[in-house]
């Protein structure tokens, strides 16, 4: 996996984002969901595979309701250290505010141990169907990312599986965000009516 595209889009002398390297092995896999107020508010869903963060922009944010199929546009790989990034990107690509909405470890759905998990996840990336278990604070249990067979080459759907963590009520990730989060403080100060996702 390569970070060339990530690096080519950014100027690290003006952005506080990590320049990053491809990570060395450890015993578990990480995921992060960042909430990002750029030109539009969206969520960035990232899964560690092969030392980088495979990344999808999810306009509506993830859902714990299996009836929701959330569009997830695959974007460039991000460095592993991006999982801890939060702050203000002052100018250039992605300019705005990034905050960490949820994070934790994750596994392949069959939980065969990290090495086999990673092989299965890589195969899933290729075939366009990833199934995994998230161990976050907000996102828990089984999920799938399924690539759409459409003209939009990078379009996937993020779907919650029906398990004990699933909800059958309306789920809005915005409601799971503290009103005191940096982005919400900024919105409160700068926007009179909060833009609906
Ligand atoms: Mn983003």
């Amino acid at each position: 996996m390569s970070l060339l595209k990530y690096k080519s889009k950014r100027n690290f002398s003006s952005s506080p984002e990590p320049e990053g390297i491809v990570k060395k092995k450890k015993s578990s896999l990480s995921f992060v969901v960042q909430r990002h107020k750029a030109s539009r508010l969206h969520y960035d869903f990232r899964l560690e595979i092969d030392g980088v963060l495979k990344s999808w922009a999810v306009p509506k944010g993830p859902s714990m309701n299996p009836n929701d199929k959330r569009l997830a546009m695959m974007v460039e790989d991000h460095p592993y250290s991006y999982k801890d990034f939060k702050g203000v990107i002052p100018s250039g690509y992605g300019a705005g505010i990034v905050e960490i909405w949820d994070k934790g470890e994750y596994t392949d759905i069959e939980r065969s141990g990290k090495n086999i998990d990673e092989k299965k996840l890589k195969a899933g990336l290729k075939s366009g169907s990833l199934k995994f278990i998230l161990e976050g604070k907000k996102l828990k249990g089984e999920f799938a990312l399924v690539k759409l067979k459409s003209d939009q080459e990078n379009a996937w759907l993020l779907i919650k599986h029906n398990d004990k963590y699933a909800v059958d009520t309306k789920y809005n990730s915005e409601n799971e965000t503290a009103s005191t989060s940096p982005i919400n403080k900024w919105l409160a100060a700068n926007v009179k009516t909060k833009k609906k996702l």
Side-chain angles (χ1 to χ4, degrees):
M1 308 270 170
S2 156
L3 296 171
L4 284 178
K5 199 168 175 191
Y6 173 85
K7 292 187 182 187
S8 72
K9 287 186 170 191
R10 290 168 175 81
N11 177 356
F12 296 104
S13 59
S14 63
S15 172
E17 294 167 291
E19 190 159 356
I21 47 163
V22 176
K23 193 198 89 168
K24 298 208 177 71
K25 303 280 178 197
K26 66 164 174 109
S27 59
S28 60
L29 297 168
S30 298
F31 84 95
V32 67
V33 182
Q34 278 144 326
R35 186 167 173 255
H36 184 185
K37 168 73 185 81
S39 51
R40 277 190 191 166
L41 182 62
H42 63 274
Y43 289 72
D44 291 304
F45 185 85
R46 311 189 198 278
L47 297 176
E48 175 196 350
I49 298 178
D50 242 12
V52 299
L53 301 177
K54 303 305 292 185
S55 297
W56 290 260
V58 184
K60 286 192 168 177
S63 176
M64 290 297 287
N65 185 325
N67 291 324
D68 293 329
K69 293 174 176 50
R70 293 288 162 84
L71 181 67
M73 297 302 293
M74 192 180 235
V75 298
E76 76 276 16
D77 296 349
H78 279 51
Y80 176 72
S81 52
Y82 208 95
K83 75 181 180 54
D84 301 313
F85 177 72
K86 55 185 176 183
V88 174
I89 304 172
S91 61
Y93 187 73
I97 311 170
V98 174
E99 61 192 20
I100 294 173
W101 186 78
D102 199 16
K103 65 177 178 179
E105 295 186 347
Y106 88 103
T107 63
D108 175 72
I109 202 157
E110 285 169 38
R111 293 199 148 145
S112 318
K114 193 210 168 208
N115 290 339
I116 298 172
D117 275 6
E118 221 168 11
K119 272 183 199 147
K120 286 187 177 162
L121 292 161
K122 273 165 78 176
L125 271 180
K126 258 194 168 168
S127 69
S129 172
L130 283 168
K131 292 189 174 122
F132 48 88
I133 300 171
L134 300 178
E135 298 166 11
K137 292 242 161 60
K138 294 170 180 157
L139 301 182
K140 293 177 200 283
E142 298 180 16
F143 286 80
L145 267 166
V146 183
K147 193 169 194 279
L148 283 171
K149 292 183 181 74
S150 73
D151 297 340
Q152 271 188 301
E153 208 189 307
N154 300 320
W156 296 59
L157 293 175
L158 176 63
I159 306 162
K160 176 80 190 90
H161 279 176
N162 214 339
D163 60 12
K164 66 176 177 180
Y165 299 109
V167 301
D168 55 9
T169 49
K170 195 170 156 36
Y171 188 94
N172 181 348
S173 50
E174 287 294 283
N175 296 339
E176 307 300 319
T177 308
S179 58
T180 53
S181 88
I183 290 175
N184 285 352
K185 277 189 185 162
W186 184 92
L187 288 171
N190 290 279
V191 187
K192 279 198 179 121
T193 48
K194 218 179 8 166
K195 227 199 263 170
K196 252 188 141 186
L197 278 173

PDB file of all heavy atoms in Angstrom, residues 36 42 44 46, ligand 1:
ATOM      1  N   HIS A  36     -15.485  15.526   9.956  1.00  0.00           N
ATOM      2  CA  HIS A  36     -14.648  16.497   9.252  1.00  0.00           C
ATOM      3  C   HIS A  36     -15.521  17.596   8.674  1.00  0.00           C
ATOM      4  O   HIS A  36     -16.333  17.367   7.792  1.00  0.00           O
ATOM      5  CB  HIS A  36     -13.894  15.744   8.143  1.00  0.00           C
ATOM      6  CG  HIS A  36     -12.907  16.582   7.386  1.00  0.00           C
ATOM      7  ND1 HIS A  36     -12.213  16.102   6.304  1.00  0.00           N
ATOM      8  CD2 HIS A  36     -12.496  17.870   7.551  1.00  0.00           C
ATOM      9  CE1 HIS A  36     -11.427  17.056   5.825  1.00  0.00           C
ATOM     10  NE2 HIS A  36     -11.581  18.137   6.569  1.00  0.00           N
ATOM     11  N   HIS A  42     -18.758  15.957   6.829  1.00  0.00           N
ATOM     12  CA  HIS A  42     -18.878  14.540   6.487  1.00  0.00           C
ATOM     13  C   HIS A  42     -18.093  13.724   7.508  1.00  0.00           C
ATOM     14  O   HIS A  42     -17.435  14.279   8.394  1.00  0.00           O
ATOM     15  CB  HIS A  42     -18.358  14.295   5.063  1.00  0.00           C
ATOM     16  CG  HIS A  42     -16.895  14.621   4.912  1.00  0.00           C
ATOM     17  ND1 HIS A  42     -16.457  15.889   4.632  1.00  0.00           N
ATOM     18  CD2 HIS A  42     -15.780  13.865   5.027  1.00  0.00           C
ATOM     19  CE1 HIS A  42     -15.133  15.889   4.579  1.00  0.00           C
ATOM     20  NE2 HIS A  42     -14.702  14.675   4.826  1.00  0.00           N
ATOM     21  N   ASP A  44     -15.257  10.524   7.963  1.00  0.00           N
ATOM     22  CA  ASP A  44     -14.238   9.726   7.287  1.00  0.00           C
ATOM     23  C   ASP A  44     -14.059   8.428   8.053  1.00  0.00           C
ATOM     24  O   ASP A  44     -13.696   8.428   9.237  1.00  0.00           O
ATOM     25  CB  ASP A  44     -12.918  10.503   7.211  1.00  0.00           C
ATOM     26  CG  ASP A  44     -13.020  11.684   6.257  1.00  0.00           C
ATOM     27  OD1 ASP A  44     -13.377  11.462   5.085  1.00  0.00           O
ATOM     28  OD2 ASP A  44     -12.787  12.822   6.691  1.00  0.00           O
ATOM     29  N   ARG A  46     -12.153   4.934   8.475  1.00  0.00           N
ATOM     30  CA  ARG A  46     -10.840   4.405   8.103  1.00  0.00           C
ATOM     31  C   ARG A  46     -10.548   3.078   8.805  1.00  0.00           C
ATOM     32  O   ARG A  46     -10.709   2.947  10.022  1.00  0.00           O
ATOM     33  CB  ARG A  46      -9.746   5.405   8.480  1.00  0.00           C
ATOM     34  CG  ARG A  46     -10.037   6.835   8.000  1.00  0.00           C
ATOM     35  CD  ARG A  46      -8.844   7.741   8.203  1.00  0.00           C
ATOM     36  NE  ARG A  46      -9.224   9.146   8.152  1.00  0.00           N
ATOM     37  CZ  ARG A  46      -9.384   9.851   7.030  1.00  0.00           C
ATOM     38  NH1 ARG A  46      -9.199   9.268   5.862  1.00  0.00           N
ATOM     39  NH2 ARG A  46      -9.741  11.119   7.076  1.00  0.00           N
TER      40      ARG A  46
HETATM   41 MN1  LIG B   1     -12.570  14.201   5.029  1.00  0.00          MN
END
